[in-house]
Amino acid sequence: MAINQLPPRRKRSFGLKVIAFANLFIGLGGWLRLAETLRNADFYSRLDLPLGMGYFIASGVFFGILGFPAAVGLWLGRRWGVGLATLTLVLWLGWDWFERLVFARSPQWFNLPFSLAASVLLVALAGWVLWKEWRAT
């Protein structure tokens, strides 16, 4: 191999692309949540929620900061990116379940088995793809 020549890059699998874009959308959703909360601050202050408006701001900033680096690190094939993407997906899914169980005014329990099965399946598929990527890096 010539000195100026870079080693060939491994192709990204379809699953890895999906997970990278999922992390990108988690980051984008966090920043959009922050913007929407600030834009409609009077509406959120009138709601009788267990947690105040600061919760929505903090969660938006948290996932906005966490999602983008995870997507970039995963896309570039960095080992830390795989770990950060895994952490981001697990935290986001746990946060979603927390909000569903705490903030739901009228919980729809008939949909609970499907939602739970879909969550477990998505975590298993993402874990499999990320585990393969972890081993390859």
Side-chain angles (χ1 to χ4, degrees):
M1 177 171 15
I3 294 175
N4 294 340
Q5 202 174 25
L6 293 174
R9 289 191 66 97
R10 200 170 41 88
K11 287 189 75 164
R12 294 174 191 92
S13 68
F14 177 74
L16 186 72
K17 290 176 186 176
V18 168
I19 294 173
F21 281 115
N23 278 283
L24 184 67
F25 288 138
I26 287 171
L28 180 63
W31 292 118
L32 289 175
R33 182 179 214 176
L34 171 68
E36 194 268 336
T37 301
L38 293 176
R39 196 181 98 183
N40 296 318
D42 59 331
F43 172 75
Y44 283 101
S45 63
R46 284 183 278 153
L47 290 177
D48 186 29
L49 294 173
L51 301 171
M53 193 173 78
Y55 165 79
F56 294 104
I57 292 172
S59 64
V61 169
F62 178 74
F63 284 110
I65 290 173
L66 197 61
F68 286 132
V72 170
L74 193 60
W75 189 260
L76 295 176
R78 302 293 190 256
R79 195 169 182 93
W80 59 265
V82 175
L84 189 58
T86 304
L87 179 70
T88 302
L89 290 174
V90 169
L91 284 177
W92 183 79
L93 190 61
W95 208 289
D96 181 59
W97 274 98
F98 169 76
E99 287 183 348
R100 179 184 305 217
L101 296 174
V102 171
F103 292 138
R105 297 285 181 169
S106 59
Q108 299 177 359
W109 297 109
F110 64 88
N111 194 25
L112 187 66
F114 172 77
S115 297
L116 190 58
S119 296
V120 169
L121 179 65
L122 287 174
V123 166
L125 289 173
W128 179 62
V129 169
L130 290 169
W131 180 74
K132 282 178 36 180
E133 183 65 23
W134 180 271
R135 288 187 48 179
T137 56

